Amino acid sequence: MKVAIIGLGFRLGYLGVVFSELDPDFEIVGYVDPAPAGLETLEKDGISPGRAYDTPEALIENETFDLLMIGSPNFMHLDHIRTGLEAGLTVFTEKPIVMSIEESYELAALLNAYGYDRLLVGLVLRYSPLYRDLRAAQADGRLGDVVSIEASEHIAPYHGAFFMRDWRRHTRYSGPFMLEKCCHDLDLYNGVVGARPRYVASFGGRKSFTPANAPQGAGANDIEVYHRKPSGWMGSDRVFDSDGDIIDYQTATVEYENGVAMTFHTNLNVPDEFRRFCVIGAKGMAEGDFVRGFLDVHDARTGEKTVSRTYSAPSERSQHYGADEQMAEDVIAHITRGAALPVSALDAIEAGILALAMDEARRERKVVDLAPVWARYDALLHGETAEAKATG
């Protein structure tokens, strides 16, 4: 499989290695990135990045490939997706797919014109063994009707400090933190619920990475933990007095259209990190943790544990609990043989809209009703809006 890359950052550099390990014919024919942070990762594994180009248009005009991969900063995603779709290409974009409600509408119109099956998205946790086992237990009837969910994504201080130093610290480039980091998780639970979110409330802010909490004493600003994860484009060394505007903790409550309720919590300063969920249904309960690597399912009537599984990454360098390897395998099969994928661009847009609603609710201290958003989104996704037809 041959690919071209727009935005050769750390993420797509790593995925280039993963894809090359699974496909002996994998080749990167070229890339566009003025400062390719992922180049070193590829070169360490002896993988050529192909020719460097100044613009996506030049790359597309001069190279032949099977898949255009987008790893550019979030605020560029929509333009790069549009360029690929208009050129007749199959496109893979990293999450989040776009970074605002308005961009979600624009993308819906694009997909109406070009077809959503030509746009793939890197919501990698859908490919994780743990999530697949959770959905299998649900399909087997072990949970019954889902009633409520408690879930979280908590990340360690070294990773939280990265967000305070990286370009992602500016929401004008990344969108809000719930979108940039937690859209993975929100997509998972949207899938479990099987319905769209309707009402959203949320609270949060920044309380950990503030000047008052900066380490004190000689050399305090060079403490290794806060600089362990390197930043790329627009990187900074400032952690506790970052010029960014992202939050470092947030909670949200969601009611779905089918009445299921969910609470979700994120925090960027959790020294013993976890990424867990508890899905409670009428017939059973599923509890799991991606970081700590387990899934337990209990029967509501008998209390019996009907599923008990543990998980570990396939290698020391593996990211996302082995999900990247499965995603690469499935994407290769999709491109070369037309195999189905477990997540779509539409799933990604819906997860993004939920994340954006969470941030709107937090900022404006209100309950957000998503019904008008879904109505406009569906009209654009499926064709002309009622207003356009009326005035046509």
Side-chain angles (χ1 to χ4, degrees), residues 15 24 38 40 86 122 128 143 165 234 254 262 290 359 361 374:
L15 284 183
E40 182 179 357
E86 289 178 347
S128 65
L143 305 181
R165 294 184 292 103
M234 290 196 64
V254 182
M262 178 175 76
F290 291 94
D359 203 63
W374 297 129

Side-chain angles (χ1 to χ4, degrees), residues 336-357:
T336 60
R337 303 194 301 275
L341 296 173
V343 64
S344 73
L346 302 187
D347 296 321
I349 296 173
E350 293 190 9
I353 287 173
L354 174 54
L356 291 160

Side-chain angles (χ1 to χ4, degrees), residues 99-120:
M99 60 171 283
S100 70
I101 297 292
E102 286 302 319
E103 285 192 351
S104 300
Y105 294 149
E106 290 185 58
L107 183 55
L110 273 175
L111 297 182
N112 172 256
Y114 295 102
Y116 71 84
D117 57 327
R118 284 180 41 206
L119 180 58
L120 287 57

Side-chain angles (χ1 to χ4, degrees), residues 26 97 113-114 135 142 164 263 266 280 309 315 336 344 356-357:
F26 179 78
I97 195 164
Y114 295 102
R135 294 308 305 275
R142 297 181 185 276
M164 296 298 150
T263 60
T266 188
I280 303 172
R309 293 190 179 137
S315 70
T336 60
S344 73
L356 291 160

